[in-house]
Amino acid sequence: MKKPKWVVEKEQAKKVQANETVWLFGLHAVRDALLNPKRKKLRLVVTLNALGKLQEAVTQAGIEPEMSDPRKFAAPLDPQSVHQGAALEVMPLDWGSIDEVCIGGGDERPARVLLLDRVTDPHNVGAILRSAEVFGARAVIGTKHHSAPETGALAKTASGALERQPYLRVVNLGRAIEQLKKAGYYVIGLEGESDIVIETELEAVGTRPVALVLGAEGPGLREKTKELCDVLAKIEYAEAFGSLNVSNAAAVSLYAATRAK
């Protein structure tokens, strides 16, 4: 009996948490990983058709591809994975510490960071990384446990952003929030029941560094996380439509944060 897709992804996540290698798949994810000098690449499995589309990146990476029959694809992936004839075994990326990525340095734009409180779905996190890259966030921060690690599903949804957008995973999200606050960040927790609208709050904050905290769909932010935020705010909605997917909420709130002056 074939395992459900979510079961396979959960098993893959446990393997990654055990510091094992990661299999990335799909043309975009594989190409961007091949072109990332920081990514340690171990094994590339491709079909002839996929190699034709990836040849420049393969040459630049200096890796010898293993050719595979598309009907019996050699990489150890879930049969339901849409691999497009390309899979790359890699080591997880190490972006460094919060101090290195979020505090100091950067460009002239106001610093913006996303923190994820128990967001475990790799598709949601992949979409959040993609939005974070588009809107120039310094980092997306999750936890080492109860959050989505690097997996092929996450990388494919991120469509290459995993290779460029810092994704940090910390032991304790509360300590990460306190560390950012000490460094001058104003921490806004997304809470649908709040009376405060996020755009209004961001206008008052101006160019100060901002950290946006989002919780998992359903339970939302944990009470302890709420207590650590400087303020809880909501995304204003029309009439009875007040619920957004967490990745959409991240994109909307981050867009608002980058527009604040």
Side-chain angles (χ1 to χ4, degrees), residues 94-202:
D94 180 7
W95 286 101
S97 67
I98 288 177
D99 282 340
E100 293 167 327
V101 178
C102 306
I103 301 170
D107 53 31
E108 71 281 358
R109 294 175 297 180
R112 302 293 186 250
V113 170
L114 288 172
L115 296 106
L116 308 180
D117 188 11
R118 298 196 174 204
V119 180
T120 58
D121 188 315
H123 303 283
N124 278 333
V125 176
I128 289 169
L129 287 171
R130 196 170 180 181
S131 295
E133 180 187 20
V134 168
F135 294 117
R138 291 202 179 183
V140 175
I141 303 173
T143 53
K144 289 188 177 180
H145 301 286
H146 307 296
S147 72
E150 289 187 38
T151 62
L154 186 154
K156 193 170 192 304
T157 307
S159 193
L162 179 62
E163 304 303 320
R164 299 177 295 272
Q165 174 61 47
Y167 178 40
L168 313 183
R169 297 177 65 228
V170 297
V171 173
N172 187 289
L173 195 70
R175 284 201 292 268
I177 291 173
E178 291 174 336
Q179 186 177 353
L180 290 170
K181 287 171 73 172
K182 287 179 182 178
Y185 275 81
Y186 189 67
V187 181
I188 302 176
L190 272 289
E191 171 58 68
E193 301 301 317
S194 174
D195 294 325
I196 300 171
V197 176
I198 189 170
E199 287 87 353
T200 304
E201 192 66 23
L202 286 165

